[in-house]
Amino acid sequence: CDHGKLAVYLALAGISPKVVAVDNRPMPLAKAKALARQTGCEDRVDCRLGDGLAALQPGETQEIIIAGMSGETMANILSAAKWVEDPTPHFVFVPATRAGHLRRWLAGHGFAINREEPVEEKGRYYTAISAVYTGTPIEPTPLFCELGLVPQAGGPAAAGYIRKQLARLEKQALAPMELPQRAALEQLINEVKEC
């Protein structure tokens, strides 16, 4: 939960009658508790020290937001909490990096991405990923792992997100690599350019 701003916002705006804010570090959690106290919503924001989803009980929440870390870390958090393999909770992920890794993991572990909302903040591009567990794993294409549902979202943030991903792939293509890997990367670059 870091500083607790999202948890407090969800409580104050009436979006959620109760919010469980989890962080694995005592100092950020103390800041979240202080913010909840200062804003008068400490009775609606339950701050817990814990690693990932380990601080939650199965079935305790209907909405789970994991934000501000790499997609790989998010996948590791989900892997450690097998109880998330249930269609009841709805997930929102906002990976700071490695969104493609998260998309691949979600698809391969039976989660369906049903919406993505690309955003831009101070020249940096992110995507908010909405997902639910279906129990039906699929093998996603490299293009889906790279962009997910961002091309369908449209708008300036989507275009910027795609440009950012393309630039990263083109930089990656400058490194030495085996011929089959290079061919796959070049094909992916061409597919991204078409978006």
Side-chain angles (χ1 to χ4, degrees), residues 54-73:
L56 299 176
Q57 295 298 315
E60 182 177 15
T61 58
Q62 290 81 38
E63 301 281 336
I64 298 173
I65 301 170
I66 305 176
M69 57 190 73
S70 79
E72 185 173 9
T73 300

Side-chain angles (χ1 to χ4, degrees), residues 46-167:
D46 179 5
C47 296
R48 298 181 190 174
L49 185 64
D51 192 17
L53 299 175
L56 299 176
Q57 295 298 315
E60 182 177 15
T61 58
Q62 290 81 38
E63 301 281 336
I64 298 173
I65 301 170
I66 305 176
M69 57 190 73
S70 79
E72 185 173 9
T73 300
M74 293 177 180
N76 291 339
I77 286 171
L78 294 170
S79 292
K82 286 295 183 191
W83 59 266
V84 300
E85 294 178 357
D86 179 315
T88 305
H90 170 254
F91 294 87
V92 174
F93 304 99
V94 186
T97 61
R98 309 219 45 207
H101 181 91
L102 177 63
R103 289 185 192 103
R104 180 176 300 286
W105 189 95
L106 290 170
H109 287 83
F111 288 81
I113 296 173
N114 50 32
R115 183 173 175 209
E116 286 200 50
E117 187 68 36
V119 294
E120 181 270 332
E121 182 182 348
K122 298 178 184 174
R124 295 190 63 168
Y125 292 89
Y126 304 93
T127 183
I129 300 170
S130 169
V132 293
Y133 181 74
T134 64
T136 306
I138 62 167
E139 180 61 37
T141 66
L143 181 62
F144 182 81
C145 291
E146 194 63 42
L147 299 179
L149 300 178
V150 170
Q152 290 89 330
Y161 184 90
I162 293 168
R163 280 192 308 272
K164 179 187 106 170
Q165 298 307 100
L166 180 59

